[in-house]
Amino acid sequence: MLKKTCTFIALLIFTIGQAQSTYFVANQSEGGSDTNLGTITAPFATVNHALSQMIGGDTCYLRGGVYHEEILIDGFNGTSTTVITAYDNEFVRFDGTQEIQNNWTLHSGNIYKTTLTAPIWQLFVDSSRMVMARWPNAQFNDESAYSHDTWAEGIEPSSNNGFALVDSSIHDLGATGIDFTGAIGIMNVGSFKTWTQRILNHTPGTNNFVYDSVPNNGYRTKHHYYFFEGKLEFLDTVNEWFYDTTSHVIYLNMENGQNPNNNFIQGKVQDYAITMTNSSNVEISELYFFATTFKAQNCSDISIRNNHFSFPSCSKRMLQNLDKPLATQFGSTGSGNEVHNSILEKCLFEHTDGEAFRVYGNDNIIENNYLHHIDYTASELEFLMVTVNIKGDNNTFTKNTIHSTGASATIAPGNSSEVSYNDVTQTGSLQSDGAVHQGTSATVQNSNLHHNWIYQTPKYALRFDAPGGSPGAAGQHGKIHHNVVWSTNGIMVKGNHHYISHNTCFSNNGNGLIILDEDSSNDSTYIQNNIASKLSAHRQHHISLYPVPGFFDHNWNGYDMSPLSVSDVIDTITYIPLAGSSVIDAGIVIPQIPHTVVGTLPDIGAYEFGGIVWTAGADWSPNFFPWNDPTIVQDTSSASLNTVAAFNDEFLVYPNPFNETVTIESISNKTEQAIVSIYSSTGQLIGKTLLTNGKKSIDLHDLDQGVYWVNIQSESGSNQLKPIIKK
């Protein structure tokens, strides 16, 4: 009996020791203390202390508040998931800044100054990001920081690697009278590559300078752009700031000559709020990150879900540090540092200096995220310098929305990747060349690019391309199918043994579907069931001069259909074939490409008449910075379109009710672009279009009577949702 009792007690102790536990953390002002028990009524004050009490499978709930911790999650493993999350939808903010409460004194003109005790490398005034003092000037609040128009331009034939001659007719460097020696140059002298280099020699009044040369294999003799930071003399307009690393004095030029003593001012002092190492089965969810972010290495089966990252990364150029920005990272280089079998889902990434994020590892899923205003320098990025750099095998990038990016290429997908159901527009504003999807050599092999919307970008939409003298060098055995591409440089394909099928391409610059035959490319590629206003084996010229190689049949090619255009066979808003269109049942069954047939044979193009109306992009509307209470964020999925979003009206929608057409007009008469999406009352996307020049009329005469929703996503990132009624 005694033996059985001891066995029972031992089993009970073991069971209690293995039981999952729940811990709570709250700010000290809300009763948090690390001497507490970590319960909901007696919470800990720090997440790190909670982690010291936790084992794999435990949960840490964070009560609402602002947290400045640098958290280390190390060695958490187990069959159950360890969770760090906000409690009961409370607003939890990780903040990588410190408030600057110093007394400011007038320096000169409208410039104020104060002395700091610790360095900062990003500055916010009343939650608005300030501009590092620069020449030529640019602003964030008018989007000019994302335009090459605010960069100086070079005269390339008279320049070389290490020496630049500035085109004074565009921006006159000599007229500034400033000595640029010692300044920092953000040098886009590699077409699709940009470097941060030191200016070694400049004579005031001249338009040439010597700079620390860039790698010889990266320098190009075309498309030179640059701007400069790192000198107090550049501080000459509102919303600019400068930090002197020697004297520790910070200078600030406030708008309207304001005295900064009356404002809430914050400086960035942190790179990563959360670092995760040597762990598995960990979830981080429902958190907000301001001027800080997250990184993981040597982890597997981790989940980063439902988080908002605003201003997550920033270069330390203001501290005279020319290294690349420390961006959000899933893994890092080296086999022992990678992250595998993990998911990044339903997160917002906005206003970065540097990539949106980097992924190193295999079998990861990047799904249903929203990325906008990514990187205003595109300098010192990894690989080909892209918005999202993925290095590894079998990664999936799906259902993401991306717009307003600086880097020439948007997605470098890794090997054997799937890139699907993404909505991408307005990319690559700060570099030349490039593509939304940039596939090179090994990354093309077994890649699957399908069901994407890519539009309104000066770059190629999808590209299988790499320098070399053979199809193998450019990549082989890739699939590009069921994509809709308009107002881009089109789809360009090198290599061989591909399937290019069921794509819809129209209104592109030059040819919309380009199947190159150079270096013996594509003689065994299948090009079938595509709609293209212009399809050829050349970037610009007619198919009669450049016939398409490979197995080329059952396509609708505008070159052969004159005087018809794509709008005669499909609805260019919904992308669906028109009733009675010649593309219906005009395709061929392609066993290697999944396609649900309605009728006797597949339709040509990305959509099947009467079939599933698929949509692309994130299915939710983020709480863009400056954040509102999360409870009023409007979800644009079908589940919640019956509630009007709590956004400020920036656009008029009229007449309402309407008969045939509805007009969208910017109240402020701005010329910024906006994406206009029309939804049914059940949340099904009917179509989308682009508003330019502040006003657009949309023909909706084919709609039945009833209530619809128009969602307007402005270039600056705001959203407006309005009900409209068809009479």
Side-chain angles (χ1 to χ4, degrees):
M1 181 67 181
L2 179 61
K3 183 177 181 180
K4 289 184 178 180
T5 301
C6 291
T7 301
F8 173 78
I9 293 172
L11 180 61
L12 179 62
I13 293 172
F14 176 81
T15 303
I16 293 172
Q18 293 298 307
Q20 294 184 9
S21 299
T22 299
Y23 297 91
F24 290 82
V25 176
N27 291 160
Q28 289 184 354
S29 60
E30 300 297 324
S33 171
D34 285 344
T35 61
N36 286 341
L37 296 177
T39 64
I40 190 169
T41 56
F44 294 138
T46 65
V47 179
N48 278 323
H49 183 71
L51 289 168
S52 72
Q53 308 300 306
M54 294 168 61
I55 61 172
D58 288 353
T59 296
C60 177
Y61 284 114
L62 278 65
R63 303 303 305 269
V66 179
Y67 295 80
H68 296 279
E69 267 190 275
E70 293 187 359
I71 297 165
L72 176 62
I73 303 170
D74 180 60
F76 277 82
N77 297 281
T79 56
S80 298
T81 301
T82 304
V83 179
I84 299 176
T85 189
Y87 176 72
D88 195 25
N89 293 319
E90 293 182 358
F91 193 95
V92 176
R93 167 175 172 164
F94 281 93
D95 193 326
T97 71
Q98 287 184 353
E99 184 180 358
I100 298 174
Q101 297 178 310
N102 303 31
N103 181 55
W104 294 79
T105 59
L106 188 64
H107 173 67
S108 65
N110 291 328
I111 300 173
Y112 285 78
K113 65 181 179 181
T114 191
T115 302
L116 301 182
T117 57
I120 66 169
W121 54 96
Q122 190 172 29
L123 188 72
F124 299 87
V125 175
D126 296 333
S127 298
S128 293
R129 174 175 47 168
M130 298 292 101
V131 179
M132 299 181 197
R134 57 176 279 176
W135 184 89
N137 291 326
Q139 296 286 327
F140 293 118
N141 57 17
D142 64 3
E143 303 286 318
S144 59
Y146 295 91
S147 170
H148 254 164
D149 292 342
T150 57
W151 296 46
E153 296 187 30
I155 301 176
E156 294 85 2
S158 301
S159 302
N160 56 59
N161 190 5
F163 174 82
L165 180 62
V166 179
D167 187 341
S168 60
S169 68
I170 298 173
H171 291 286
D172 193 339
L173 183 147
T176 67
I178 297 172
D179 183 358
F180 280 65
T181 303
I184 296 169
I186 290 79
M187 309 290 296
N188 178 209
V189 293
S191 187
F192 54 89
K193 289 191 174 184
T194 304
W195 292 271
T196 303
Q197 303 297 102
R198 186 72 63 183
I199 308 306
L200 302 178
N201 187 37
H202 171 247
T203 301
T206 66
N207 273 290
N208 59 79
F209 59 90
V210 176
Y211 63 93
D212 192 11
S213 60
V214 305
N216 280 326
N217 62 354
Y219 180 81
R220 298 290 186 271
T221 57
K222 60 180 181 179
H223 308 310
H224 287 184
Y225 296 87
Y226 21 77
F227 71 89
F228 305 88
E229 297 175 340
K231 279 185 167 285
L232 178 59
E233 294 92 327
F234 297 153
L235 204 168
D236 63 352
T237 192
V238 298
N239 301 324
E240 286 191 335
W241 71 288
F242 178 78
Y243 175 71
D244 188 316
T245 57
T246 301
S247 66
H248 310 299
V249 174
I250 182 174
Y251 301 83
L252 174 61
N253 191 334
M254 293 283 290
E255 199 164 15
N256 300 321
Q258 297 176 60
N259 185 329
N261 288 305
N262 301 319
N263 299 86
F264 180 61
I265 300 178
Q266 303 158 272
K268 180 177 174 69
V269 296
Q270 183 186 85
D271 292 311
Y272 297 107
I274 299 178
T275 298
M276 186 189 305
T277 58
N278 310 311
S279 297
S280 62
N281 291 314
V282 178
E283 175 184 310
I284 297 174
S285 59
E286 307 294 345
L287 305 176
Y288 285 74
F289 293 79
F290 174 74
T292 189
T293 189
F294 158 89
K295 70 174 178 179
Q297 62 183 39
N298 193 28
C299 294
S300 64
D301 300 289
I302 64 174
S303 303
I304 311 299
R305 286 190 166 99
N306 302 318
N307 300 294
H308 286 61
F309 296 86
S310 299
F311 311 98
S313 56
C314 182
S315 163
K316 295 180 181 177
R317 295 187 302 273
M318 188 59 84
L319 303 182
Q320 304 296 315
N321 183 332
L322 308 190
D323 294 339
K324 64 186 178 184
L326 296 177
T328 306
Q329 291 204 185
F330 249 43
S332 58
T333 55
S335 59
N337 297 319
E338 295 175 342
V339 169
H340 305 298
N341 301 302
S342 296
I343 186 166
L344 177 65
E345 181 181 22
K346 204 173 182 181
C347 292
L348 169 71
F349 292 88
E350 59 179 350
H351 308 301
T352 72
D353 181 10
E355 300 99 330
F357 47 82
R358 306 169 186 146
V359 179
Y360 300 84
N362 306 328
D363 302 298
N364 298 297
I365 298 173
I366 315 300
E367 181 173 1
N368 203 16
N369 301 287
Y370 197 112
L371 288 60
H372 78 97
H373 290 86
I374 305 299
D375 207 349
Y376 68 94
T377 64
S379 185
E380 298 293 338
L381 307 183
E382 296 191 352
F383 187 48
L384 292 176
M385 301 198 176
V386 297
T387 301
V388 176
N389 186 29
I390 302 174
K391 186 175 182 180
D393 299 334
N394 304 310
N395 292 293
T396 299
F397 190 87
T398 186
K399 300 177 184 176
N400 302 289
T401 293
I402 307 175
H403 69 85
S404 305
T405 69
S408 62
T410 309
I411 308 163
N415 301 331
S416 301
S417 62
E418 178 182 354
V419 178
S420 60
Y421 294 99
N422 299 293
D423 182 340
V424 187
T425 186
Q426 302 168 28
T427 67
S429 63
L430 298 177
Q431 290 176 329
S432 303
D433 204 351
V436 169
H437 173 281
Q438 183 67 53
T440 61
S441 194
T443 66
V444 170
Q445 186 90 9
N446 299 320
S447 61
N448 190 7
L449 285 57
H450 64 93
H451 295 90
N452 298 287
W453 289 340
I454 305 174
Y455 53 97
Q456 287 292 334
T457 174
K459 307 303 181 184
Y460 287 101
L462 305 170
R463 190 176 183 184
F464 288 171
D465 182 24
S470 69
Q476 302 189 86
H477 301 286
K479 295 177 180 177
I480 298 177
H481 62 95
H482 292 93
N483 300 287
V484 177
V485 172
W486 58 274
S487 195
T488 74
N489 279 348
I491 297 173
M492 188 177 80
V493 181
K494 288 184 184 179
N496 209 357
H497 303 287
H498 305 306
Y499 284 91
I500 314 300
S501 315
H502 284 289
N503 299 290
T504 296
C505 309
F506 61 94
S507 300
N508 291 289
N509 308 316
N511 291 327
L513 186 51
I514 305 159
I515 312 297
L516 297 175
D517 64 355
E518 57 192 57
D519 298 325
S520 301
S521 281
N522 293 311
D523 61 9
S524 296
T525 290
Y526 289 82
I527 308 100
Q528 298 168 316
N529 295 356
N530 300 286
I531 293 175
S533 51
K534 295 180 180 180
L535 195 166
S536 169
H538 191 274
R539 295 166 180 81
Q540 299 289 336
H541 295 316
H542 197 282
I543 190 172
S544 62
L545 299 175
Y546 290 88
V548 175
F551 302 97
F552 176 62
D553 56 79
H554 293 83
N555 299 285
W556 193 98
N557 186 359
Y559 276 135
D560 301 326
M561 298 296 178
S562 181
L564 296 179
S565 66
V566 170
S567 61
D568 293 314
V569 294
I570 68 166
D571 185 320
T572 54
I573 293 180
T574 65
Y575 317 131
I576 297 171
L578 299 172
S581 169
S582 61
V583 301
I584 296 174
D585 292 347
I588 185 174
V589 174
I590 307 169
Q592 295 80 4
I593 302 298
H595 182 90
T596 301
V597 176
V598 177
T600 57
L601 288 169
D603 295 352
I604 294 175
Y607 286 82
E608 185 84 2
F609 183 78
I612 297 172
V613 182
W614 58 268
T615 60
D619 65 5
W620 59 294
S621 185
N623 193 9
F624 297 109
F625 191 87
W627 302 312
N628 300 312
D629 184 328
T631 61
I632 64 170
V633 174
Q634 178 61 45
D635 188 342
T636 58
S637 66
S638 59
S640 59
L641 277 172
N642 293 322
T643 305
V644 178
F647 295 115
N648 293 326
D649 285 356
E650 296 182 15
F651 297 89
L652 296 174
V653 181
Y654 62 89
N656 192 15
F658 68 96
N659 287 315
E660 294 188 348
T661 63
V662 65
T663 298
I664 315 295
E665 182 175 359
S666 171
I667 292 175
S668 62
N669 293 318
K670 291 182 179 179
T671 59
E672 69 170 344
Q673 296 181 343
I675 299 169
V676 180
S677 303
I678 309 295
Y679 293 88
S680 70
S681 60
T682 61
Q684 183 181 33
L685 180 67
I686 295 170
K688 63 170 55 182
T689 187
L690 191 71
L691 181 148
T692 57
N693 300 320
K695 185 176 181 180
K696 187 178 185 71
S697 294
I698 305 172
D699 185 355
L700 299 174
H701 75 276
D702 287 338
L703 296 183
D704 295 331
Q705 292 181 349
V707 177
Y708 297 86
W709 292 87
V710 55
N711 187 70
I712 308 166
Q713 174 191 307
S714 73
E715 193 173 22
S716 58
S718 65
N719 273 272
Q720 183 175 323
L721 188 69
K722 281 181 173 289
I724 55 175
I725 300 172
K726 173 70 182 295
K727 293 192 293 185

